[in-house]
Amino acid sequence: MTVRTRFAPSPTGYLHIGGVRTALFNWLYSRQHGGQFVLRIDDTDQQRNVQEALQPILDGFRWLGIDWDEGPEVGGPCGPYFQSQRGERYRDAAQQLLHSGFAYRDYARPEEIQAERQAAEREKRSFRYSRRWMAQDDRQAAEFESEGRSAVLRLKMPTEGQCCFNDLIRGDVAFQWSDEQDHVIQRADGTCLYHLASVVDDHDFGITHVIRAVEHLSNTPRQWFIANALGWQSPQFAHLPYVAEPGSSQKLSKRKLAQYLKNVDFRKLFEHGQQIAERIGLAVSADTFHPVIVDFYRQVGYLPDALVNYLLLLGWSLDDRTEHFTRDQMIQSFSLERVNRGPASFDPQKLVAFQDRYMRSVPVQAKLALVMPFLQQANLVDDAPSDVILQRVVRIAEAAGDRIKVGGDILDYDDFFIADDQLSYDPNAWQKRLVKPPQAQELLTRFRQRLAAWEDFTAEGVEHLMQQFIQDESIGIGQIIHAVRVAVTGKAVGFGMFETLAILGREACVQRIDIALQRLAPAPS
RNA sequence: GGCCCCGUCGUCUAGCGGUCUAGGACACCGGCCUUUCACGCCGGCAACACGGGUUCGAGUCCCGUCGGGGUCACCA
């Protein structure tokens, strides 16, 4: 039997990081067994612009390299893959359940159910619907209808015994049937509810393994019951632990951003991204642009492989030391048996560590591709950049090395793309390196003279020049180099100074130093 | 509250009765390197929730307690 797994997102407009983890495990499992991974859209709730709300989700999966064999945009033999288009199928199943006696027409009004529920609560006993408005037959149904009532379809759940199934992650699990409710499967208007739809789809799509978050564990008995009542065998279940908040064991939620921001690591991650978004003029919404949503990482220039590798290890491990996995290795090594049962909390620092490590092995050309869009969106380079510019970006990327943690970090080097007289200066650095040291101005002036006459403008050449300079002046290199950095880049920090000067070129360096000197001591008027 | 799940360093985890004075990774703290930043290198801190059993022997098995969480819709 071919393994078929699925992920069933609701079109909400964004892709949650926990959802991706679930999807990833499904994907890995199907790939490992040479099976298929199906994307099904749970839109029984009926929103107007499903397509619009779905796009970011599909884009997210594509970006992550999680491809689906059947589903939206790719089709497949079991379509349609949108629940909103499968209503007829669900109604048929509901009818079948009604006719076979596994479901009944219930004419209770919502208030009446509510009253029963409250009574149960008052008496401190667990609630179970009395079936008082259950229609025994058509005659009784007509009677209820004459009272102006309308019917929903409820599952006629067993009242004794237990539902046992084997969870691939949790082992044998058992629930008492007596604890279950007669769940509604179809509304009065004929539309069907999630549990029915889900079971029907899993069957129709030939899903063999339902790998999903643990919050569905307690839903499993009713789904198991539906499948059984319909004469089907339930798929195998595997309930994943949820992804928890940073430093807590509560479920990670997209709605608690304000609270997560109190966590320093989370905030750092967030603010770093926000800064990049700001620099490229990205209009971000606080609802969808933050570290719980996958799109955040894409827009800031993370490597999808790093994210995926991090997520893989959130609740799963191979052994006591392997942490780095290529896609093929993941597919090879993954197993549900080694998924943990406890929740794993989202750790921004560890994610960043993975990103760092992956970034280090990205070849220059790939790094160039990662980084260019940011320079373009920030209007620092043309959309059709010249070879000279491309060369310059490559040199910067190489010189910056692992200082570029994410694609957007290239913007830390915006000074290489700004006109000499447009440079802005870090006020603290300006003060500390140019204003405060008594000799800074003189030294910079003299160094500028040497620089202007210097031929060999390679990094090595410039270094040689400076070495000679500090020797002649009998100073430490620290006394000049920081002043030069601030004058030439406006910043307190950056990569190697000689490389910086070399990339900028003599003309720009001299010009920038002149501008700085002028700004430092304007000519008396 | 009922039902269910979970409980090893701050975090992710290894551990499937003896090799555990509990291993790795990230973070953290020292030190080295150093023109800043970043990296790198060396070293360090740090955990079996608790209490009973079972056993020659328990992080590992059983029970209980405590703690954390999930779920209880005509949402998905």
Side-chain angles (χ1 to χ4, degrees):
Chain A
M1 185 170 57
T2 321
V3 167
R4 285 171 66 83
T5 63
R6 47 81 161 175
F7 182 69
S10 311
T12 50
Y14 53 82
L15 190 50
H16 189 276
I17 200 111
V20 172
R21 202 272 241 105
T22 303
L24 173 66
F25 285 14
N26 273 283
W27 182 80
L28 287 171
Y29 195 76
S30 71
R31 291 291 172 267
Q32 179 176 62
H33 292 89
Q36 288 95 40
F37 174 60
V38 180
L39 219 50
R40 175 232 294 170
I41 308 307
D42 279 15
D43 58 347
T44 49
D45 227 8
Q46 307 269 8
Q47 289 129 332
R48 257 162 275 102
N49 29 6
V50 169
Q51 193 50 45
E52 191 179 307
L54 183 57
Q55 206 54 53
I57 294 169
L58 301 183
D59 289 348
F61 280 130
R62 290 225 165 85
W63 177 67
L64 290 164
I66 296 175
D67 56 335
W68 55 101
D69 303 294
E70 296 171 31
E73 294 184 0
V74 304
C78 306
Y81 293 90
F82 291 79
Q83 292 194 324
S84 57
Q85 294 167 27
R86 302 173 58 78
E88 209 52 51
R89 178 72 185 102
Y90 306 143
R91 278 186 286 279
D92 288 349
Q95 278 309 303
Q96 194 184 328
L97 288 171
L98 176 63
H99 293 316
S100 52
F102 290 109
Y104 60 88
R105 284 168 290 180
D106 178 47
Y107 285 90
R109 298 192 163 102
E111 318 85 78
E112 290 161 344
I113 297 284
Q114 187 59 18
E116 280 197 8
R117 194 186 300 274
Q118 280 167 352
E121 217 164 287
R122 236 177 295 122
E123 293 159 36
K124 291 204 187 329
R125 57 178 168 80
S126 57
F127 165 72
R128 208 167 182 208
Y129 174 46
S130 66
R131 294 181 185 167
R132 184 165 154 206
W133 289 276
M134 170 174 80
Q136 304 283 358
D137 48 39
D138 288 348
R139 198 186 51 77
Q140 197 177 7
E143 225 166 84
F144 282 135
E145 273 163 31
S146 70
E147 292 174 27
R149 294 172 179 274
S150 53
V152 299
L153 239 45
R154 280 184 189 274
L155 249 22
K156 198 168 190 177
M157 296 290 278
T159 51
E160 50 191 33
Q162 48 182 205
C163 172
C164 307
F165 58 92
N166 184 266
D167 187 287
L168 263 13
I169 292 170
R170 275 147 225 281
D172 290 327
V173 189
F175 291 87
Q176 299 299 321
W177 284 123
S178 57
D179 292 326
E180 291 295 317
Q181 303 294 335
D182 286 352
H183 300 281
V184 173
I185 53 174
Q186 186 175 29
R187 300 185 180 93
D189 67 4
T191 57
C192 291
L193 267 10
Y194 167 74
H195 292 292
L196 209 221
S198 180
V199 172
V200 169
D201 288 343
D202 285 342
H203 172 263
D204 288 1
F205 295 173
I207 301 303
T208 57
H209 299 260
V210 171
I211 303 167
R212 64 197 342 181
V214 71
E215 39 272 47
H216 288 284
L217 184 57
S218 50
N219 297 153
T220 309
R222 79 190 70 154
Q223 295 183 184
W224 186 93
F225 175 79
I226 293 172
N228 219 251
L230 257 7
W232 305 330
Q233 195 171 16
S234 271
Q236 293 247 260
F237 293 103
H239 288 95
L240 264 27
Y242 57 87
V243 177
E245 304 171 343
S248 141
S249 52
Q250 273 176 58
K251 194 166 75 166
L252 187 68
S253 151
K254 72 233 164 216
R255 282 192 212 92
K256 290 159 83 176
L257 180 64
Q259 186 190 317
Y260 301 158
L261 256 19
K262 289 179 195 154
N263 175 296
V264 284
D265 302 324
F266 189 93
R267 198 179 60 229
K268 256 162 79 179
L269 188 67
F270 174 69
E271 284 174 351
H272 180 207
Q274 212 177 28
Q275 215 171 60
I276 290 169
E278 228 166 80
R279 285 169 162 182
I280 58 175
L282 193 69
V284 296
S285 141
D287 288 348
T288 54
F289 186 78
H290 58 76
V292 180
I293 310 296
V294 169
D295 216 38
F296 172 87
Y297 302 97
R298 186 171 62 79
Q299 290 185 309
V300 169
Y302 277 79
L303 265 9
D305 284 342
L307 221 203
V308 167
N309 198 151
Y310 170 70
L311 256 17
L312 172 71
L313 263 15
L314 215 51
W316 178 86
S317 67
L318 176 64
D319 53 32
D320 63 337
R321 54 199 64 244
T322 316
E323 289 221 293
H324 188 277
F325 293 85
T326 62
R327 287 303 160 108
D328 284 345
Q329 288 167 334
M330 287 181 200
I331 292 169
Q332 278 293 317
S333 328
F334 183 75
S335 64
L336 289 171
E337 296 74 50
R338 291 197 62 86
V339 172
N340 273 315
R341 285 182 285 273
S345 73
F346 175 75
D347 181 0
Q349 287 183 322
K350 189 126 184 174
L351 169 59
V352 167
F354 271 101
Q355 169 68 14
D356 281 9
R357 192 154 82 201
Y358 270 84
M359 205 62 175
R360 269 173 241 165
S361 60
V362 172
V364 213
Q365 282 308 313
K367 206 176 265 189
L368 178 67
L370 178 68
V371 129
M372 279 308 290
F374 291 93
L375 291 171
Q376 289 163 335
Q377 288 169 69
N379 291 317
L380 290 166
V381 309
D382 283 351
D383 284 344
S386 64
D387 285 351
V388 177
I389 290 293
L390 289 175
Q391 245 340 291
R392 171 167 280 210
V393 178
V394 166
R395 284 187 75 181
I396 292 167
E398 278 177 329
D402 48 32
R403 271 163 273 242
I404 297 177
K405 310 279 189 202
V406 300
D409 284 342
I410 189 68
L411 299 172
D412 286 344
Y413 308 100
D414 57 353
D415 46 282
F416 287 94
F417 304 95
I418 291 177
D420 298 335
D421 56 357
Q422 297 295 305
L423 208 59
S424 58
Y425 303 88
D426 172 345
N428 291 331
W430 178 268
Q431 202 63 28
K432 181 175 175 193
R433 300 303 192 186
L434 289 172
V435 177
K436 231 177 84 198
Q439 285 185 293
Q441 206 172 329
E442 288 169 40
L443 286 170
L444 192 57
T445 307
R446 288 205 286 278
F447 183 68
R448 180 252 182 241
Q449 298 312 333
R450 299 263 196 120
L451 207 58
W454 191 253
E455 286 299 325
D456 180 11
F457 233 80
T458 60
E460 299 74 31
V462 179
E463 177 168 14
H464 184 73
L465 168 73
M466 186 170 282
Q467 291 299 346
Q468 207 155 35
F469 179 76
I470 63 172
Q471 211 165 23
D472 294 349
E473 298 279 345
S474 299
I475 57 171
I477 198 167
Q479 286 175 267
I480 181 63
I481 206 163
H482 299 298
V484 172
R485 184 183 295 282
V486 177
V488 154
T489 70
K491 299 184 166 82
V493 300
F495 51 78
M497 196 62 242
F498 311 120
E499 199 58 52
T500 300
L501 294 171
I503 293 172
L504 237 24
R506 184 173 52 207
E507 202 181 321
C509 290
V510 171
Q511 175 109 31
R512 287 180 180 201
I513 293 175
D514 283 342
I515 292 170
L517 284 170
Q518 220 169 70
R519 191 169 182 271
L520 209 50
S525 50

